[in-house]
Amino acid sequence: MTDATTGTATTAAPEGTRHVVATLAELPPGSRRIVEIDGRSIGVLNVDGRLHALMNRCPHHGAPLCEGVVKGTMQDSAPHEYSYGRHNEFVVCPWHGYEFRLDTGRPLVDMGRLRVRVYEVRAEGDDVVLYV
Amino acid sequence: MTTIDTTTTDPTTTSGAPRGASDRSDLKRNGVIDSDVHPNFVNGIRDLMPYMTETWRTRLGISGADWAKGMAAAQFTLPLDYLYINPAGAYREDAARPGMPPATDPEFVAKQLLDPHRIYRSVLLSGQCLGIGAMPDGMVAATIASAYNEWMCERWLQVDERFRGAIVVAPQDPEAAVAEIDRMADRDGVVAVFPLGQILMGEKHYWPIYEACARHELPIVTHPSGTENVFAKAPQMAGTPTFYLEWHTALGQIHQSNTLSMICHGVFEKFPNLTHVIAEGGFLWALEVMWKLDRDWKGLRNEVPWLTKPPSEYLLGNVRFTTQPFIEPHDPRHLAPLMEMLHADRVLMYSSDYPHWDFDNPDRALQGLSPELRRAIQVDTPRAVYGDRLD
């Protein structure tokens, strides 16, 4: 499983402008914050201690994606069988239920070339820092 | 009412009935395959008496009680829908001869349908047994199914090799249906299985039947049964239509429900080589079903995680539609783009629906299509569906 929290082994400075969006105490696991940067709405989510940042806009119809539920998904299975897995790897669009990977922004089902833009986000000291 | 004599000559050139070996091989390569013809009984269920034991004739009450024979309501009949009346009659007038109901004599059908239209094979779908899936007693239905299948083989398939047939099974009793499929699968002329019942066809109830069909490489076929909306359990989304016109136009709804059920339950994932032929159930509705299903599935795939590809791909891969009654768009220019959207070259199969009133002449009904598409519909796709069982 990909751990999207960066800053652990990265030495190179991330690209983009540095924005402190919250303190770590303000963004505990299970919480999220929607921020506006340069006219763009971006969701910053703390999922089980992993930080994720995605464009707060579903590529399908423009819904506020980052207000959706974070959860796992039903994995491939034989007809009439269910197998839940990949817990909390996805954010589910609040409008039509499309599932997007938190770490890459890729939809679980093929949507052509559509995907959600993801941003670099990391903990630096006590701060949650977003690079746009 | 005055009858108008319309003795038009067919403008299309057909080289007449096949003669000699070269004609026969040409017919085999290029002859039309017709996926929907209805053989009829002369005396209803009594035609099946020779194909039943005395025990079952007694059980059905068709061997004794002379007084009952003259009273329609006092004797057992096959489930048919006499609540809708086509004022012009449901059959071609010219298909009936004095004292003989339409499509009761295979030799006459051959002369009237097969010879003039250069039909290589016509697939028989029982007229009167299509509704046995609506019968309350599965043992009775299974007995009638077996008797009908024997009748069809003896009276039709062995009379003219151009007839092929779909065996009828009683889906009320899947075990009996599987036994019947195993019993009949290798009989000469059998090309499909007709399992229509009262339960939406994706449900597990049906899976043993599909397993048997897949094992024998037999497609299933469904067709309006005449029992729609007559029984409370019949699949219906609303109330009961009033008019024949209304009912006849709405028949696609049932096929739509069954198609959605089969796709969503993962039937074609479980049985990837199973083909479902939808006869006389329309086909343009498949466009909306495919597009809507794919869109909704993206948000609801957790409910059906066994689908490994967009649901429309199961429809295009495993569902086929017969053409009759073919569509007549208000603007003829709309036909070609509709056919393209539907992938008509993959999913449509010609059918005549002989001897019914809304018969489609193979030389005329598909005139608006390109020769390539006509060939796909009349020859290539049905060949792919029925395989070697046609020859």
Side-chain angles (χ1 to χ4, degrees), chain B residues 11 15 89 120 151 159 197 248 304 389:
Chain B
S15 49
Y120 175 62
W151 172 88
V159 169
H248 196 254
V304 288
R389 292 175 180 271

Coordinates of all heavy atoms in Angstrom, one line a residue, chain B residues 11 15 89 120 151 159 197 248 304 389:
Chain B
P11 N -40.5 -7.0 -55.6 CA -39.5 -6.5 -56.6 C -38.1 -7.1 -56.4 O -37.3 -7.0 -57.3 CB -39.5 -5.0 -56.3 CG -39.8 -4.9 -54.8 CD -40.7 -6.1 -54.5
S15 N -33.5 -16.1 -56.5 CA -33.4 -17.1 -57.5 C -34.2 -18.3 -57.3 O -34.0 -19.4 -57.8 CB -31.9 -17.4 -57.6 OG -31.4 -17.7 -56.4
G89 N -56.9 -9.8 -35.8 CA -56.4 -11.2 -35.7 C -54.9 -11.1 -35.5 O -54.2 -10.3 -36.1
Y120 N -32.3 -20.3 -45.0 CA -31.5 -21.5 -44.8 C -31.9 -22.2 -43.6 O -32.1 -23.4 -43.6 CB -30.0 -21.1 -44.7 CG -29.1 -22.2 -44.3 CD1 -28.9 -23.3 -45.2 CD2 -28.3 -22.2 -43.1 CE1 -28.0 -24.3 -44.9 CE2 -27.5 -23.2 -42.8 CZ -27.3 -24.3 -43.7 OH -26.5 -25.3 -43.4
W151 N -42.7 -33.5 -29.6 CA -43.6 -33.1 -30.7 C -42.9 -32.3 -31.7 O -43.0 -32.6 -32.9 CB -44.8 -32.4 -30.1 CG -45.8 -31.8 -31.1 CD1 -46.8 -32.4 -31.7 CD2 -45.7 -30.4 -31.7 NE1 -47.5 -31.5 -32.6 CE2 -46.8 -30.3 -32.6 CE3 -44.9 -29.3 -31.4 CZ2 -47.1 -29.1 -33.2 CZ3 -45.1 -28.1 -32.1 CH2 -46.2 -28.0 -33.0
V159 N -39.0 -33.3 -40.4 CA -39.7 -33.1 -41.6 C -39.0 -32.3 -42.6 O -39.0 -32.6 -43.8 CB -41.1 -32.5 -41.4 CG1 -41.8 -32.2 -42.7 CG2 -42.0 -33.5 -40.6
G197 N -39.8 -17.7 -17.2 CA -40.7 -18.0 -16.0 C -41.2 -16.7 -15.4 O -41.3 -15.7 -16.0
H248 N -48.5 -4.5 -26.6 CA -47.6 -4.9 -27.6 C -46.4 -4.0 -27.7 O -45.3 -4.5 -27.9 CB -48.4 -5.0 -29.0 CG -47.7 -5.8 -30.0 ND1 -47.0 -5.3 -31.1 CD2 -47.5 -7.2 -30.1 CE1 -46.5 -6.2 -31.8 NE2 -46.8 -7.4 -31.3
V304 N -22.2 -4.5 -6.8 CA -22.0 -5.6 -7.8 C -20.5 -5.7 -8.1 O -20.1 -5.6 -9.3 CB -22.9 -5.4 -9.1 CG1 -24.4 -5.6 -8.8 CG2 -22.7 -4.0 -9.6
R389 N -24.6 -26.1 -34.7 CA -25.9 -26.7 -34.6 C -26.8 -26.3 -35.8 O -27.8 -26.9 -36.0 CB -26.6 -26.3 -33.3 CG -25.9 -26.9 -32.1 CD -26.6 -26.4 -30.8 NE -25.9 -26.9 -29.6 CZ -26.3 -28.0 -29.0 NH1 -27.3 -28.8 -29.5 NH2 -25.7 -28.5 -27.9

